[in-house]
Amino acid sequence: QVQLVESGGGSVQAGGSLRLSCVASGNTYSAYCMAWFRQGPVGEREGVAAIDSDGSTTYAESVKGRFTISRDNTKNTLYLQMDGLTPEDTAMYYCAADVLLTTECDRNFLQQGFGTWGQGTQVTVS
């Protein structure tokens, strides 16, 4: 089973940028639907962005135009480029993965239906 390790979190001022990374173990990474979720100090965990095995992407409305999800299958790595950060983006960010058909990736992103989760990386915007 794949294991996920996130990095790249930190503290940044409003308007700044961060790039999160998520390295996946295993040799079937390219087949995975991958996603980023976050959970702030209050409220429930929410989906941020997802990318399927074909590279198609989905974003939450709150981050469209500011965040970019991408993947490098040669490095088994998922990225989240975050620009124009606001204090509302403060949260623990989690990487998630599952082997899903491309037609299932969006559905599972909305339902948060992923079998493997990372430990998270903290993002704080002030």
Side-chain angles (χ1 to χ4, degrees), residues 13 23 34 39-40 42 78 85 101 104 111 123:
Q13 291 188 337
V23 179
M34 304 290 297
Q39 185 162 17
V42 295
L78 176 73
L85 285 161
L101 298 175
E104 298 173 331
Q111 297 175 351
V123 171

Side-chain angles (χ1 to χ4, degrees), residues 14-57:
S17 298
L18 284 173
R19 188 176 81 156
L20 306 183
S21 299
C22 171
V23 179
S25 63
N27 57 8
T28 59
Y29 172 79
S30 62
Y32 279 80
C33 168
M34 304 290 297
W36 289 99
F37 292 84
R38 67 186 181 185
Q39 185 162 17
V42 295
E44 298 180 345
R45 186 175 62 194
E46 62 175 352
V48 176
I51 184 166
D52 69 20
S53 57
D54 289 343
S56 296
T57 58

Side-chain angles (χ1 to χ4, degrees), residues 52-64:
D52 69 20
S53 57
D54 289 343
S56 296
T57 58
T58 301
Y59 294 93
E61 286 296 325
S62 60
V63 306
K64 277 184 180 178

Side-chain angles (χ1 to χ4, degrees), residues 11-17 66 82-90 124-126:
S11 297
V12 64
Q13 291 188 337
S17 298
R66 300 188 300 123
M82 305 186 295
D83 300 316
L85 285 161
T86 72
E88 288 69 35
D89 296 315
T90 295
T124 303
V125 185
S126 59

